[in-house]
Amino acid sequence: KTLWGFRLSDFASLYSAKLGIKASILLKTLWGDYYVNMKAKKIMKGAQAKGKKPLFVQFVLDNMWAVYEAVNNREKEKVARIAKSMGITVAARDLRSTDPRVHLQAVCGQWLPLAQAVLGN
């Protein structure tokens, strides 16, 4: 059972605070051929032409793959660090499980709860 999901606005809000870029601008550019110029703190067009990762890949997919890899490779310390950086706590019973799907659900279910993605706020 997978009970997690997300909206682009979830990641726009998250990275708005981290990057100092308005969430409304991130929301419009997360899906498309855009990248972040970190020095200028600006979103630029033409990620593909410049050999840069598009915003969606950089901010959403790369983070999701990091979680998947840590869980599937059974890197418990890395999973704990990721959970801590997200401000979530994985229950001890979930950590004791030998099934990586349980770990994945525990982390992603708290990080990106399905109810919030569907019903929003």
Side-chain angles (χ1 to χ4, degrees), residues 72-88:
N72 285 329
N73 293 335
R74 293 178 167 80
E75 299 175 41
K76 288 187 179 188
E77 294 85 22
K78 189 171 183 178
V79 171
R81 280 195 314 272
I82 290 170
K84 185 178 179 181
S85 74
M86 293 177 195
I88 60 175

Side-chain angles (χ1 to χ4, degrees), residues 12-28:
S13 297
L14 174 72
Y15 284 103
S16 172
K18 289 185 177 193
L19 299 172
I21 297 172
K22 289 181 183 179
S24 59
I25 292 171
L26 281 170
L27 189 56
K28 291 177 185 174

Side-chain angles (χ1 to χ4, degrees), residues 6-24 26-27 30 58-60 63-64 82 85-87 111-112 116:
F6 66 90
R7 295 175 300 170
L8 287 180
S9 60
D10 298 331
F11 285 93
S13 297
L14 174 72
Y15 284 103
S16 172
K18 289 185 177 193
L19 299 172
I21 297 172
K22 289 181 183 179
S24 59
L26 281 170
L27 189 56
L30 264 173
Q58 183 180 1
F59 294 148
V60 179
N63 290 309
M64 294 178 97
I82 290 170
S85 74
M86 293 177 195
W111 176 37
L112 303 166
Q116 182 180 329

Side-chain angles (χ1 to χ4, degrees), residues 6-110:
F6 66 90
R7 295 175 300 170
L8 287 180
S9 60
D10 298 331
F11 285 93
S13 297
L14 174 72
Y15 284 103
S16 172
K18 289 185 177 193
L19 299 172
I21 297 172
K22 289 181 183 179
S24 59
I25 292 171
L26 281 170
L27 189 56
K28 291 177 185 174
T29 57
L30 264 173
W31 197 256
D33 190 32
Y34 298 94
Y35 69 98
V36 149
N37 179 327
M38 294 305 268
K39 289 181 184 175
K41 298 260 184 187
K42 289 178 75 176
I43 295 179
M44 313 292 283
K45 233 180 184 183
Q48 191 173 21
K50 294 215 182 348
K52 306 277 186 181
K53 287 182 183 179
L55 290 178
F56 187 77
V57 173
Q58 183 180 1
F59 294 148
V60 179
L61 292 182
D62 283 353
N63 290 309
M64 294 178 97
W65 279 117
V67 171
Y68 266 87
E69 285 179 358
V71 167
N72 285 329
N73 293 335
R74 293 178 167 80
E75 299 175 41
K76 288 187 179 188
E77 294 85 22
K78 189 171 183 178
V79 171
R81 280 195 314 272
I82 290 170
K84 185 178 179 181
S85 74
M86 293 177 195
I88 60 175
T89 304
V90 180
R93 100 175 158 259
D94 293 334
L95 289 173
R96 284 192 301 269
S97 175
T98 58
D99 186 350
R101 293 175 296 185
V102 171
H103 296 167
L104 187 64
Q105 177 56 41
V107 172
C108 291
Q110 289 181 62

